[in-house]
Amino acid sequence: MSLRDTIHQNLQPRRLLSEYGMLGVLVLLAILFSILTLQEQHPTGANAAAKTLERLNESSPGGAIVVIIPANDQDRAFVTALAEGLQDRGVSIARTIAGEPALVREQLTSMDPAVGAITVITTEAYAPTVASILKQLPRFASTEIIRPPSYRWPTFLLPDNLRNVANQISVIAIIAIGMTMVIITAGIDLSVGSLVALSAVIAAWFVGYLGGEQASWGGMMAGGALAVLLCGLTGAFSGVMITRFRIPPFIATLAIMQVAAGVAYIISEGKPIYRLPETFVTLGRGAEPLLRVPYAVLLMFSLYLVAHVLMSRTPLGRYIYATGGNMEAARLAGIRVNGVLLFVYTICGALAGLGGVLMASQLRSGAPTYGVTYELYVIAAVVVGGTSLSGGEGKIFGTLIGAFVIAVIQNGMNLTNVETYTQKVVLGLVILAAVLLDRLKQGRFRKAKRSGSLPSAPAGVERM
């Protein structure tokens, strides 16, 4: 089949709907929460300064310009950007007053009377306080107050909120890559939540051992690498139990879940480990400077691209699908099924370890309580993304979509003030609906197979 025919086949609406049908659900959820969160928005920081400069261009304020703000990072960014914009127009800020209302009142009272009329620029949130102060000072009773103009826009679609959604789901989405491979082989891994805790504790403990808050970049990288390696070996041990001793994946990984959780408590003595350098948070909280996309999100997308190529463009990916589709047929075709299973459980453990390091970086600590119930959210993301629990079917990018569906539902319900208990009910129903759709799809598949309407199987499978 030519490349053109392959692309045409992959872009057929029915095929896209079958493989990535949840993308439509994700879009509908985004539209729904955009409508429900449409409200007045008040810009902050540099964006607020740009809006204020636009208003100043429309009206020419008289007198000296005084900026009054609370003392926080967003407002400092507002003043810096505003000063640069005014300087380009040949106008300077006469005075900047930052602080509590008492300090603002004191600074205004001490201003030189020779200054004359003034125009006050302040933020939307601080404007009522500033107006109240000015009314108490007869000299400034008629002072004009300029604030950044508000605008109507969905809170859900604010850039900061979208970045927050992606950053919050990054740990679960990264672990879900390995879980997708495991479930495609008709297996399951219940240990990933405990491996997150174990990884976070090991990384934090090792960094503390190498110097704690004075640890070097090399020490931090070594701690993270050690945690990922040990979790990968733990995943490999699960794989050995499943392949060599024929222990069902559910039981084997359930046992490892308990062991990993216990070891995490032993190493940390049941307490969080906090002695970490400030730079340790770079991976979890840092962001690239241009679009301010968190490094964790960039790492997540990079791993999904690599996993997609592995599963769709390499013999190993085909072996994973073949193993889940029919393990005995795959074995008779020459595939080393045990090797495939060992690989997917090792990768799943290593990615859970990476997720633990990422969480430790986000929280600047390691604790044995991290990752509780994460295995449920990870499995939910995989199933919602269209991967069949029966094995042999699923897409890596489908899992990414499933993770974002869960993240959007949680974030949207938080923005619309839905209580926590109701959120659990909604998420449970979403997971149930996804599994039900999978069952219905499998029923149609078996019916088509009995009627002989399925296409013939592809020619032989390469020997591993």
Side-chain angles (χ1 to χ4, degrees):
M1 181 183 293
S2 67
L3 178 61
R4 180 177 179 181
D5 293 336
T6 302
I7 295 175
H8 176 71
Q9 181 180 355
N10 289 335
L11 293 180
Q12 287 181 349
R14 182 176 297 179
R15 183 182 181 90
L16 288 174
L17 182 62
S18 173
E19 295 181 354
Y20 300 108
M22 291 306 294
L23 180 59
V25 175
L26 179 60
V27 172
L28 290 176
L29 286 171
I31 294 173
L32 172 63
F33 288 123
S34 297
I35 295 173
L36 294 177
T37 60
L38 181 63
Q39 57 186 354
E40 289 291 324
Q41 303 293 341
H42 305 290
T44 59
N47 188 28
K51 296 291 184 182
T52 304
L53 290 170
E54 291 177 5
R55 173 164 288 185
L56 291 174
N57 288 333
E58 297 173 359
S59 62
S60 300
I65 293 179
V66 176
V67 180
I68 303 176
I69 57 169
N72 59 55
D73 293 337
Q74 285 285 351
D75 293 322
R76 293 190 186 97
F78 168 71
V79 172
T80 301
L82 183 64
E84 293 175 354
L86 290 173
Q87 186 176 6
D88 292 339
R89 297 173 53 187
V91 180
S92 61
I93 297 175
R95 179 176 291 192
T96 299
I97 304 174
E100 299 297 324
L103 178 61
V104 172
R105 181 185 176 89
E106 179 184 344
Q107 291 284 322
L108 287 173
T109 304
S110 65
M111 284 187 65
D112 186 358
V115 172
I118 68 170
T119 296
V120 170
I121 299 177
T122 187
T123 61
E124 178 67 31
Y126 213 35
T129 302
V130 173
S132 176
I133 294 173
L134 293 177
K135 287 180 180 179
Q136 298 172 17
L137 303 174
R139 179 182 164 202
F140 302 113
S142 59
T143 298
E144 180 184 6
I145 299 177
I146 295 178
R147 69 190 75 179
S150 61
Y151 60 97
R152 289 188 64 80
W153 186 257
T155 302
F156 175 78
L157 292 181
L158 290 175
D160 285 342
N161 184 64
L162 295 177
R163 283 190 287 264
N164 181 55
V165 170
N167 197 36
Q168 285 186 339
I169 201 62
S170 58
V171 172
I172 288 175
I174 287 173
I175 302 171
I177 295 173
M179 187 66 76
T180 302
M181 297 180 185
V182 168
I183 293 181
I184 286 176
T185 63
I188 197 75
D189 191 342
L190 299 179
S191 67
V192 291
S194 295
L195 290 180
V196 168
L198 179 62
S199 173
V201 167
I202 290 174
W205 173 81
F206 195 71
V207 171
Y209 177 78
L210 294 179
E213 296 180 353
Q214 284 72 46
S216 64
W217 274 103
M220 289 185 286
M221 293 178 65
L226 176 64
V228 173
L229 176 62
L230 290 179
C231 288
L233 291 175
T234 304
F237 180 79
S238 297
V240 170
M241 293 296 103
I242 293 166
T243 57
R244 181 65 63 181
F245 298 98
R246 305 301 177 190
I247 299 176
F250 183 92
I251 301 300
T253 57
L254 180 64
I256 296 300
M257 177 180 73
Q258 296 297 323
V259 171
V263 172
Y265 273 96
I266 291 171
I267 294 175
S268 65
E269 298 179 348
K271 298 177 292 186
I273 301 174
Y274 291 113
R275 292 181 58 246
L276 300 175
E278 292 185 5
T279 52
F280 188 74
V281 303
T282 301
L283 177 61
R285 301 184 198 171
E288 58 87 22
L290 183 59
L291 298 176
R292 293 192 295 153
V293 178
Y295 291 132
V297 176
L298 295 176
L299 174 63
M300 175 186 71
F301 283 121
S302 300
L303 289 174
Y304 267 88
L305 286 173
V306 172
H308 172 71
V309 172
L310 171 67
M311 294 296 290
S312 63
R313 295 288 184 269
T314 66
L316 178 57
R318 294 195 292 273
Y319 298 151
I320 293 173
Y321 280 108
T323 300
N326 190 319
M327 189 175 296
E328 186 60 28
R331 182 180 289 107
L332 293 175
I335 296 176
R336 297 176 183 172
V337 171
N338 287 348
V340 170
L341 294 177
L342 185 62
F343 171 80
V344 296
Y345 282 97
T346 301
I347 288 296
C348 192
L351 289 175
L354 179 59
V357 173
L358 184 57
M359 181 172 286
S361 177
Q362 290 174 338
L363 302 176
R364 199 185 168 190
S365 63
T369 55
Y370 292 171
V372 175
T373 72
Y374 265 41
E375 60 275 359
L376 303 181
Y377 287 103
V378 169
I379 294 171
V382 176
V383 173
V384 171
T387 298
S388 174
L389 290 171
S390 302
E393 183 180 352
K395 296 291 182 181
I396 290 294
F397 282 134
T399 295
L400 180 61
I401 293 170
F404 270 99
V405 166
I406 293 175
V408 166
I409 291 174
Q410 288 181 316
N411 179 258
M413 289 191 294
N414 286 332
L415 293 177
T416 52
N417 298 318
V418 177
E419 62 181 5
T420 305
Y421 303 128
T422 305
Q423 291 186 26
K424 292 181 180 295
V425 172
V426 172
L427 285 173
L429 291 175
V430 169
I431 297 170
L432 183 61
V435 175
L436 179 60
L437 288 175
D438 175 57
R439 294 291 91 188
L440 293 174
K441 188 192 303 182
Q442 291 298 317
R444 289 195 300 269
F445 178 85
R446 286 191 293 268
K447 184 177 179 181
K449 186 175 181 180
R450 286 195 299 267
S451 65
S453 60
L454 287 176
S456 58
V461 181
E462 299 177 33
R463 188 178 184 86
M464 187 174 181

